[in-house]
Amino acid sequence: MHPDRPKLDLAEALRRAGLRPTRQRLALASLLFGGEDRHVTAEMLHVEALAAGQRVSLATVYNTLHQFKRAGLLREIAVDGTKAYFDTNTSNHNHFLIENEGRLVDIPGNGIMIDGLPEPPEGYRISHVDVVVRLVPQTAARK
Amino acid sequence: MHPDRPKLDLAEALRRAGLRPTRQRLALASLLFGGEDRHVTAEMLHVEALAAGQRVSLATVYNTLHQFKRAGLLREIAVDGTKAYFDTNTSNHNHFLIENEGRLVDIPGNGIMIDGLPEPPEGYRISHVDVVVRLVPQTAARK
DNA sequence: ATTTGTGCAAATCGTTTGCATCTGA
DNA sequence: TCAGATGCAAACGATTTGCACAAAT
């Protein structure tokens, strides 16, 4: 009935990231990091925050997502060009994209192996390898 | 001096795709498919067309890119969320993304092997696997 | 003649920004 | 106190759309 466990940890985590633990940031952090790994857009998170009774402006949601990203708490994923997705799981892993819903799902386990990666061009280094497995309903007529 | 070679082929290809071979579509197709494989945005292609002396509106470039995509002549690649890239190489291959320039480069050869792909969730099938290798300048301070 | 495509400008969508006000340290 | 954070609304950039006109079949 008093699930006020992670509040202190979150505040501390924000402070360590150089961010003041404001009401809004704590609320968003709690939604993002309170449970399982998640994939959210700014708008989804905004709606959720409001539904949870937290007054936060959409602009602040955007700002906060980018600050969390800069702090290494989130990773941004580009999948469809129209929306920006943020992933609370910052470790190395890959995704299913359910194309007709625009929904991202972590690929369970870390079984994916990539072999035969070529040398990057002179003067560059690999910062990250993104693998997105696009899914469509089995019966879908259109690809 | 009379490089009117591929015109007929292009017109025929468009017709086969159910698209009338209009002046604009022929011009854009010629830019896209006239030489090597390319990665373009709508704006890049528009500028190119104008530079080549072809009057085409930006709206038509957008329309045409999507029609070509629907016809299977192009593939769309989502890499940075801000622009849509279209790839004239529709075969299975992967990309380097030069992050600081927003430039895409085909990964030469087809050496990349992906192992351990999990089963897609019930009711879905894999439509495509995207692999994007993100590159940053070797000396870059920020990731 | 009928259908389809084009161009312009206005509209839309996700996102960012300027700036006045508030808040946490 | 006062740097940093928030919220609103306006600004933005890429893309889409409505509609009158033009071109292709």
Side-chain angles (χ1 to χ4, degrees):
Chain A
M1 281 303 169
H2 293 234
D4 48 72
R5 281 156 285 140
K7 287 287 171 57
L8 291 176
D9 308 301
L10 289 176
E12 191 41 36
L14 291 180
R15 239 180 247 107
R16 259 181 271 123
L19 299 170
R20 288 186 185 172
T22 64
R23 177 178 61 73
Q24 299 64 346
R25 295 212 267 235
L26 285 170
L28 297 177
S30 155
L31 289 170
L32 288 169
F33 309 115
E36 307 206 319
D37 289 335
R38 315 197 47 194
H39 305 94
V40 300
T41 64
E43 203 187 336
M44 284 166 55
L45 187 56
H46 186 223
V47 168
E48 250 187 71
L50 297 183
Q54 293 288 342
R55 281 179 303 88
V56 190
S57 77
L58 183 54
T60 294
V61 173
Y62 274 105
N63 290 335
T64 302
L65 284 171
H66 284 126
Q67 291 153 353
F68 285 7
K69 175 190 169 188
R70 238 175 288 136
L73 302 171
L74 294 175
R75 183 187 293 279
E76 190 171 357
I77 309 178
V79 280
D80 72 7
T82 68
K83 291 172 208 295
Y85 286 80
F86 292 85
D87 187 347
T88 59
N89 178 351
T90 57
S91 69
N92 241 56
H93 68 288
N94 302 297
H95 297 96
F96 285 127
L97 171 67
I98 306 191
E99 288 195 301
N100 57 127
E101 303 177 33
R103 194 156 55 85
L104 275 175
V105 182
D106 281 341
I107 289 186
N110 51 331
I112 294 193
M113 307 260 37
I114 302 172
D115 254 344
L117 264 192
E119 287 292 304
E122 197 51 41
Y124 292 95
R125 50 166 265 266
I126 295 175
S127 82
H128 188 73
V129 179
D130 281 341
V131 178
V132 176
V133 179
R134 294 171 181 268
L135 301 179
V136 291
Q138 205 135 39
T139 52
R142 59 145 158 167
K143 189 190 177 184
Chain B
M1 279 303 170
H2 292 234
D4 48 72
R5 281 158 284 139
K7 285 287 171 56
L8 291 176
D9 309 301
L10 289 176
E12 192 39 39
L14 290 180
R15 242 180 243 106
R16 259 182 270 123
L19 298 170
R20 289 182 183 174
T22 64
R23 177 179 60 75
Q24 299 63 347
R25 296 212 266 236
L26 286 170
L28 297 177
S30 155
L31 288 170
L32 288 170
F33 309 115
E36 308 206 317
D37 289 336
R38 316 198 44 194
H39 305 96
V40 301
T41 64
E43 203 188 336
M44 286 167 54
L45 187 57
H46 186 223
V47 167
E48 251 186 71
L50 297 183
Q54 293 289 341
R55 282 179 301 89
V56 190
S57 77
L58 182 55
T60 295
V61 173
Y62 275 105
N63 290 335
T64 302
L65 285 172
H66 285 127
Q67 290 154 354
F68 285 6
K69 175 189 170 188
R70 236 174 289 135
L73 302 172
L74 294 175
R75 182 188 294 280
E76 189 172 356
I77 309 179
V79 280
D80 72 5
T82 68
K83 290 175 208 299
Y85 287 80
F86 292 85
D87 187 348
T88 60
N89 178 351
T90 57
S91 69
N92 241 58
H93 68 290
N94 302 297
H95 296 96
F96 284 127
L97 171 66
I98 306 193
E99 287 196 302
N100 57 126
E101 303 177 34
R103 194 156 58 85
L104 275 175
V105 182
D106 280 342
I107 290 187
N110 52 330
I112 293 192
M113 306 261 37
I114 303 172
D115 253 346
L117 264 191
E119 287 292 305
E122 198 51 43
Y124 292 95
R125 51 166 263 267
I126 294 176
S127 82
H128 189 73
V129 179
D130 280 340
V131 178
V132 177
V133 179
R134 293 171 181 268
L135 301 179
V136 290
Q138 206 136 40
T139 52
R142 60 145 158 166
K143 190 191 176 180

